Amino acid sequence: MTPAIDIENVTKAYGKDVALDNVSFSVPQGAMFGLIGPDGAGKSTLYQILTTLIAPDSGKASVAGFDIIKDYRAIRANIGYMPERFSLYPDLTVKENLHFFASLFGVNVKDNYDLTAPFFDQLAKFPNRIARALSGGMKQKLALACALIHRPKILLLDEPTTGVDTVSRSEFWDMLVTLKEKGITIMVSTSYMDEAQRCQTIALIDKGHILDVDTPQRLVSNLGENLYSASAKEMYPLLQALRKLPDVKNCYTFGATLHLVAGNEFKRDEAVKAMIDRGLTDVKIYPAEGTIEDLFIKLADNE
């Protein structure tokens, strides 16, 4: 089966700054695919190439079976795109934005109501509200409704939940699961590592390089490291002290604790004692389960 998105050796630079460096991967039809990486990793540049807004310096790509250079009109008719920043008309109302985008694609606002029903009904409660006056979560839903209004084959979402509250983020991902079940291929970029777990397959990207591509479960299972969680009342001195131990490969902040990557000779009890001898109090070091964030840090350090 032809991939929904196929990217081969795509490179893009802005002067001396290389945004994408020989990026290659494919997205199967009907998949929920995540592009995971920090700000500045090259995610938005890749989206602009896939949506035919800019051309790569080298390499090639296809979307919905169409070449991004030769078939840009066909691609635009077959995709829905949500850029990172709210890009609808802020001075138009909810209703006006929906009707404008419907007219662009020659459809009626409710032609594809089965796709947009979960959030369309919420938007319908205030059709005459100016778009810029909407909350972050409702702006997100309006943008998604406009991106889906012509029933695209592929939905390209660039950091759609940035700056949105936790509840709205969860609701948004529930909507994406429903859309996937209706046969829409979804490629979503995010810097939230917890959202990566909700994708079938993810590509980890950093500084324009693809670090790895696989399912979240297989990627985490391949960590192959002795991973520990560490805490004390004096967290920053603990971080500095742990990094100086001879069999500690890495130590970094992880939420309210630290994560420590150790070698095979690491002895937890001896490490705790060493921290106490340094005057630290309430020291705890215990085994931890790896996450996508741990894997990302490991791969980025190896670049």
Side-chain angles (χ1 to χ4, degrees):
M1 186 181 293
T2 303
I5 300 171
D6 196 27
I7 302 165
E8 295 182 36
N9 302 316
V10 165
T11 295
K12 180 68 179 179
Y14 300 98
K16 294 181 180 180
D17 296 325
V18 180
L20 298 171
D21 189 0
N22 281 314
V23 167
S24 297
F25 63 83
S26 61
V27 179
Q29 292 184 32
M32 175 84 80
F33 188 96
L35 185 63
I36 314 300
D39 292 342
K43 302 188 297 296
S44 293
T45 296
L46 183 57
Y47 272 81
Q48 290 170 355
I49 289 172
L50 294 177
T51 54
T52 74
L53 297 176
I54 61 174
D57 297 333
S58 61
K60 59 182 181 178
S62 64
V63 179
F66 299 105
D67 183 84
I68 57 168
I69 303 299
K70 296 184 296 183
D71 306 316
Y72 69 93
R73 291 184 184 274
I75 288 176
R76 293 177 184 181
N78 282 277
I79 63 171
Y81 174 45
M82 272 182 66
E84 180 179 359
R85 294 187 177 183
F86 183 67
S87 60
L88 304 185
Y89 291 94
D91 294 328
L92 295 184
T93 65
V94 168
K95 182 179 179 180
E96 287 169 341
N97 268 293
L98 288 168
H99 280 272
F100 174 75
F101 280 90
S103 68
L104 287 180
F105 292 100
V107 299
N108 292 318
V109 170
K110 282 200 171 185
D111 277 357
N112 297 301
Y113 178 72
D114 62 304
L115 294 182
T116 60
F119 42 96
F120 191 94
D121 290 342
Q122 296 178 43
L123 293 166
K125 294 176 182 178
F126 31 81
N128 297 316
R129 185 170 297 178
I130 299 295
R132 67 167 176 266
L134 296 171
S135 67
M138 293 310 295
K139 283 181 179 177
Q140 175 197 63
K141 291 170 185 175
L142 178 58
L144 185 57
C146 291
L148 290 168
I149 209 156
H150 59 300
R151 202 179 197 92
K153 293 180 180 178
I154 299 170
L155 191 57
L156 296 168
L157 309 175
D158 187 10
E159 306 244 18
T161 58
T162 298
V164 177
D165 65 88
T166 303
V167 173
S168 294
R169 279 178 57 199
S170 180
E171 288 179 351
F172 188 84
W173 276 89
D174 290 341
M175 293 175 196
L176 296 188
V177 171
T178 300
L179 293 171
K180 178 191 172 299
E181 291 170 351
K182 292 181 179 293
I184 295 178
T185 302
I186 300 171
M187 178 171 156
V188 54
S189 73
T190 179
S191 55
Y192 295 115
M193 297 297 170
D194 61 307
E195 293 184 346
Q197 301 287 350
R198 304 193 67 166
C199 299
Q200 290 173 293
T201 306
I202 60 175
L204 300 176
I205 185 171
D206 187 43
K207 298 175 183 175
H209 295 271
I210 297 296
L211 305 180
D212 209 343
V213 181
D214 211 328
T215 66
Q217 295 76 18
R218 279 201 289 265
L219 286 170
V220 171
S221 70
N222 292 332
L223 271 172
E225 297 280 3
N226 297 319
L227 186 67
Y228 296 87
S229 183
S231 65
K233 286 186 177 179
E234 307 85 355
M235 291 297 291
Y236 186 63
L238 176 67
L239 174 66
Q240 293 178 306
L242 287 173
R243 284 177 171 173
K244 294 176 181 177
L245 293 181
D247 207 35
V248 171
K249 296 182 178 181
N250 199 359
C251 188
Y252 46 87
T253 302
F254 192 89
T257 66
L258 304 176
H259 269 193
L260 182 156
V261 181
N264 292 329
E265 302 302 318
F266 179 78
K267 292 181 174 56
R268 181 173 44 152
D269 292 342
E270 292 182 8
V272 171
K273 184 177 182 302
M275 297 301 101
I276 293 172
D277 289 345
R278 288 175 178 262
L280 303 181
T281 56
D282 198 21
V283 178
K284 297 183 180 69
I285 300 176
Y286 47 90
E289 285 191 16
T291 67
I292 294 294
E293 187 169 355
D294 292 303
L295 176 67
F296 189 91
I297 291 170
K298 174 187 174 183
L299 294 174
D301 284 345
N302 291 338
E303 272 288 294

